Amino acid sequence: LQLYYKEQEYLLNWEKKVMKKIFFILCILGVILPYYHLINFLQENNWSMTGFLDQLYSNHAISMITMDITVAASSFFVYLIYQFSNKKIRAKCFVKYMVSLFIVGFSLSLPLYLYDNYKKWKILLKNIIYYNNINYICWNLIHKWKEQ
């Protein structure tokens, strides 16, 4: 059982490193990809934002994607305010997520939040695994006791 727990701990540490790298790459892509298209739009329109909102709702497919991202970003916005008001994130981090949400967008703010908070989730998962191991031991003891 001890070996099993150490294997799980090793996998959690390895997974943490991999996931942090993935979230970091998503942060970079969250900046590059939207701004690439914004710059192309501005070049095509003589560096003017005229017509941007019209094209944002130009057909039902684009409107659906726009509404999807708007609701997701709004939900994240409300979640950040809730976390900050309950003192679960510091003011510095709150400002960082808000600036990234309003200056770049949801494509940066969510991966950045996940990058910063992945360790907390791993600690929670590690505790769950630990308690599952205890439950497994107790179950085996009870099962053996019933057999006697």
Side-chain angles (χ1 to χ4, degrees), residues 44-94:
E44 291 173 1
N45 292 295
N46 274 342
W47 301 97
S48 171
M49 289 295 287
T50 306
F52 184 78
L53 290 177
D54 293 335
Q55 289 188 21
L56 203 55
Y57 299 100
S58 60
N59 62 49
H60 291 295
I62 300 298
S63 294
M64 188 254 334
I65 293 169
T66 302
M67 288 294 108
D68 184 49
I69 292 171
T70 301
V71 170
S74 299
S75 300
F76 187 61
F77 175 73
V78 169
Y79 174 75
L80 288 174
I81 291 171
Y82 173 78
Q83 290 290 87
F84 180 67
S85 67
N86 288 319
K87 300 189 184 331
K88 298 204 179 189
I89 56 174
R90 297 176 312 206
K92 181 181 174 182
C93 291
F94 177 73

Side-chain angles (χ1 to χ4, degrees), residues 123-135:
I123 290 170
L124 178 65
L125 187 58
K126 189 175 180 179
N127 288 335
I128 290 169
I129 289 170
Y130 175 76
Y131 287 113
N132 282 341
N133 287 337
I134 290 175
N135 287 339

Side-chain angles (χ1 to χ4, degrees), residues 84-132:
F84 180 67
S85 67
N86 288 319
K87 300 189 184 331
K88 298 204 179 189
I89 56 174
R90 297 176 312 206
K92 181 181 174 182
C93 291
F94 177 73
V95 170
K96 176 173 62 171
Y97 303 137
M98 287 297 169
V99 167
S100 66
L101 183 62
F102 288 105
I103 300 297
V104 176
F106 189 54
S107 62
L108 172 62
S109 61
L110 181 62
L112 183 60
Y113 177 83
L114 295 173
Y115 178 84
D116 287 346
N117 292 287
Y118 191 73
K119 183 178 180 179
K120 293 176 190 173
W121 296 357
K122 295 315 289 180
I123 290 170
L124 178 65
L125 187 58
K126 189 175 180 179
N127 288 335
I128 290 169
I129 289 170
Y130 175 76
Y131 287 113
N132 282 341

